[in-house]
Structures are given as C-alpha cells and as structure tokens.
Amino acid sequence: MLPRVWAPGAGRVEVVLSDERRALVADGGGWWTHDVDLPHGTDYAFSVDGGDPRPDPRSAWQPRGVHAPSRVFDAMRYTWRSDWAGVDVRGRVLYELHVGTFTAAGTLAAAVEHLNDLVSLGVDVVELLPLAPFDGEFGWGYDGVDPYGVHEVYGGPAALQHFVDEAHARGLGVCLDVVHNHLGPSGNYLSAFGPYFTSTHQTPWGDAVNLDADGSHEVRRWVVGSALRWFTDFHVDALRLDAVHELRDDSDQHVLAQLSDEVAALSASLGRPLALVAETDLNDPVSIAATADGGWGMTGQWADDVHHAIHALVTGERHGYYVDFGSAPTLRKALTGAFVHDGTLSTFRGVPWGAPVPAGTDGHRFVVSVQNHDQVGNRGLGDRPSERLPVGALAVEAALLLLSPFTPMLFMGEEWGARTRWQYFADHPDPELARAVREGRRGEFGGHGWAALYGPDAQIPDPGARSTFEGSRLVRGEIDDPERAALHDWYRLLIALRRSVPELASGDLAATDLTWDGPDDADGPWRGVLVLHRGRARVVLALGDAEAQVTVPDADDLVVAASWGEPVRTSPGVLRVSAPSVTILTPPA
C-alpha cells in the first residue's frame, strides 16, 4: 500500500512508522502521498503539521483499538472459494444479527458455525449490524469511527471475508449495516485531517458530515468509497444505510443518488446484483425513486410503520410513537401501502408526516419486521414480544410478516421466540462519556412513555455494564422447549409457503387487502379475526382467546395449506377457529 491521505489545509504531513517518520509529498487537491510501498501487516499513522500520529481516515484494520496506529490490510491476499452469482434482496427473507451477541464467543468465525441453521430455516440474506471499529469492547456498532474497517473483537477484516465466503458457499447473501451519518464520540480524529464535518447542518450527534460545503467533494468520495469497497474487497451483496435522513445534503445531486449511480455501474461491471437499502424516518418514496427522476435510487427502504401497526394491534401498546397505531384499519393501511403516515398528522411528532407510495410500486422495495435491533433494543428494558405474548400471538405476528407483500426481516432468535432481552449496551472506556450515556439513556426512559408500560420504578439497564451486554446474548438452549421448537417449525413452514405459493411471494400491493370480524379499534390488544387477502390466497388470523366462526370470501375452492391451531371447515367458505390461531388457504397445487 502506498501511504496516501487527504489533508487540504496541511503544510506538512508525515507517515509515522514504528521506527521512523517519512515526509509525504503534496499530490494536488489536498492529497499527500509517498512512493514507498507498505506491505500487509505494517503499522502506520499520519501526523499533520507535527501533530500527534492519528489513524488513517480510510483505515481497514485497527488491531490495537481506535486510538492506535492503523495496520495495512491487503484484501487481495484472500482466495475466494465460492463461485457466487449474487442475489436480488428484494422479496427475500432477511435475518438481522449482531455478531457480539449471536454466539457465546461473539465473533464472525463463531457465527459461521450457525449459518447452516439459517439455511435450514429458509433465510436468504444475513444482515450484519455495523462492524466498524469503535472504542471499547462491546456495543451495537453505531458509534464506529473507522467506516472502512472491521472491529478487531469480531475478528477483523480477514474474518469478514471468510464469513462472506462461507455464507455464499451455502447460498446465503450478506448485507452489511453501515453508518455514514456520524462517527462515534471517541476515536474520531477526522477533523485533524480536513473539513469532514460542517456546522451548516446539525444532527442529533452535532455537526453534520460535510456533504455540501467547502471540501465536500472529497468527503463525498470518502463516503462513497467506503461503501463501494464492501462490494469489491469483501463481496457483500447489499448495504443497509443507517438513518439516511441525517445525511444533510443540499447539493444538486444528493450523495445517496451519487452512491446509487456508482453502485449500479459497479454492479454492471461485476455482473452480479448489488443493493442499497435505506433506513429513513421520512416516509418519503423519494428514497426509492430513480435517480433520473430526482430520487435517491435506493433498492429498498425500511418501513417501520408496518412494525408499529402489527405490534400495537397485537400487544395493545399505545405509548410513545405507537399512539397512532393499533387499529385494524391502520393495519390494513400499512399492509396495503407501507406508510401509515403518508401526509397525515403524526400525533407523536405533532406535524403532518410522509407522502403516499405511488401506485404500482413493488411492495418488495420495503423491508419490514416485527422485531429488529431498534424496536427491541430501544425499548426501556430491551424486552422482546415473546416476554409478554403467548406463543400463539407470536405465530400471528410471524404470519403477518412473512406472508406480507414486503421484504421480511427476522431478528436473531425471533424464530424460536427467544426470551433473552436485547438491551442497549455501549462500552465506553472514558468514564465521563460512560456516565453521560448512562444518564442519557435513563433520561430517554420518561420521554418515550416506557414508565406507563414498566412502572415508574423500573430499573433501566446500565449500557456500560458487562452484565447488560452478556444478558443480551442468545441462549440457544431455549429452542429445546417444545413450545419454542414448534414456533421455530412454524417460521420454517411460513418461509417455505412464501417460496412455493406465488400469491404469497408476490409484492403486488394492489392484490393485497385486509378485512376483519371484530372492532375497528380496541383499548388494549385487539380481539377478533383478520383475513389477509393475497391474490386468491387467504390468511385467517384469530386473536384473543375465544372461538369464532368466520366466512372467508371466495374461498370455496381453496385448501388449507398450513395452520397454527386446528381450524374446522363447517361449510364451504366457513371456518371455525379458536384464537390465537392462523389458517392459510391457498389454491390447490
């Protein structure tokens, strides 16, 4: 590797090696370089104008932590064994996991040992929470400071190459969660090199990443380059882009549109599909609109309204951002249009929010879930639905998710109803920072209405305590419980039906509808019978604890393809069901 760094305001730049400093030469455009190649494994750092040595802003390897020198990583040393043609993530079953808590060892190598389990379940794509190096040992990964690197605790960059190769060998795609909207508070040395941030825009983390002010051209290249390398050097199939609404950019071309165009060109060059999936809070279809039409060109985007509509209806929760959710009509709007707030008033935000999804939009462009790292981990106690709901209600949620017209995503352990909490944890070695995070987390407890659910005396876990991290690890022995094993089999069956029945695999929102026999709304958990229409297929979902008889329109010639519970067909088109239960009716094979 030739030492090279962008430092546009510097008068002198040196590369600092273990035993010497070497002056770099100005190379135009604020770049500095040296013509002596550094071999794989060499430790190095950069000093600007005689300042302290700092890690490379494009560091691929930080084996001794984010404050220490970078280490040269030669990605071309790896010999790929899998001949992988790629995967189109739209409509596929995604599986989100956090490397540190997915296994007891908490490494990428250990995660490989469970890839066969995911294949057996029917998963298509594994989505890894952020891997960028951060200060400390454990954390969610959203405080990374080296977006070109892989956290050493997980095994470093070589371990990621091996993981992707092993996943591809099993027919699994890999999606990597990446963060470009901010850097963590500890180990962020970018400002020593150049104008990576701007006070022109503010985000929840302070000054925004500089995408449209002086010097932004190279900052944009730093962002785009960090994304492209995951496709080229690590062979990943998709990137999930964190909170893109905080990428504040008033340029003529938004940085996401630039990224989309460059990824499309790379996909054509590599001859395999590459995807970008945006997490955005805006409920705005601009994210998936073509760049030629002024959109951002994303392959897909998360649609949290679907989660909120299912969760609030099944659990009866109405606090915080669930205030506008929970009714049957709201669930219908979510399942047929992705966005509940599509220009309507958001009571939680206090303003109208969102825009409608254009007619004809493929439902597979929206990634939905009933559990994910945010919706579990950002609860006050990190409790999963399985801690409060009977297993039959979990089966109903699973059917609404996996038989929807969207791209479904599972959260690790969901498939067997894991009862381990997944809490917010962040290991900050700086005691003042750890204190601030701890107090901030407790302050959020009151702001989202969690006290109404847990009680005012609930003890919010300390994010910096190792027990909070350890208590969030999956306990795989849970699946030995017969009830949990039955739920696991149910997930496998639903995924198999989604693959084998065209109506259930379709992303056609116009061919989706929801009817119900029960109240429109309820003060608590909704009780009654829902019928999800998917083309000619029907999914009958009963909630509560009573027996009900329901007429299923146009179902005379349909067969019961699968059920949770024991439905009884009393006459053509009429079912007697006991709640909670799910009955799936499909055309004969």
Side-chain angles (χ1 to χ4, degrees), residues 93 121-123 402 410 491-499:
V93 177
L121 180 62
V123 168
L402 288 165
L410 312 182
Y491 268 82
R492 183 187 290 115
L493 178 59
L494 291 175
I495 293 172
L497 282 173
R498 182 183 177 89
R499 284 180 169 172

Side-chain angles (χ1 to χ4, degrees), residues 425-470:
F425 47 84
D427 174 30
H428 293 295
D430 180 346
E432 284 302 307
L433 181 56
R435 179 189 59 77
V437 170
R438 181 171 58 250
E439 292 179 356
R441 184 69 178 175
R442 288 172 178 167
E444 290 177 4
F445 179 69
H448 288 277
W450 296 118
L453 179 66
Y454 302 128
D457 298 324
Q459 296 298 309
I460 303 303
D462 178 0
R466 175 164 285 277
S467 58
T468 304
F469 166 60
E470 296 290 351

Side-chain angles (χ1 to χ4, degrees), residues 87-90 175 231 237-240 263 273-277 299-300:
V87 59
D88 184 345
V89 303
R90 291 171 296 184
C175 175
F231 296 123
D237 303 282
L239 299 178
R240 181 264 192 190
V263 168
L274 304 176
L276 297 170
V277 179
T299 312

Side-chain angles (χ1 to χ4, degrees), residues 80 82-90 92 94 124-128 160 163-165 167-169 171-176 227-232 234-240 263 266-267 270-277 299:
W80 295 88
S82 61
D83 185 14
W84 179 245
V87 59
D88 184 345
V89 303
R90 291 171 296 184
R92 303 289 187 153
L94 311 184
D124 297 302
V125 180
V126 180
E127 181 169 322
L128 303 173
L160 178 58
F163 178 90
V164 174
D165 205 12
H168 286 172
L172 292 169
V174 178
C175 175
L176 179 60
L228 296 179
R229 73 183 301 270
W230 300 116
F231 296 123
T232 56
F234 294 87
H235 292 200
V236 304
D237 303 282
L239 299 178
R240 181 264 192 190
V263 168
L266 180 61
S267 175
L270 295 176
R272 60 185 176 91
L274 304 176
L276 297 170
V277 179
T299 312

Side-chain angles (χ1 to χ4, degrees), residues 330-346:
T330 299
L331 178 60
R332 179 181 184 273
K333 187 174 183 180
L335 290 174
T336 58
F339 299 155
V340 170
H341 292 307
D342 56 2
T344 61
L345 175 68
S346 166

Side-chain angles (χ1 to χ4, degrees), residues 21 97 141-142 175 198 239 289 298 328 450 480 493 503 510-511 588:
R21 287 176 175 242
L97 67 86
Y142 294 93
C175 175
T198 175
L239 299 178
M298 298 285 103
W450 296 118
D480 295 333
L493 178 59
E503 286 90 343

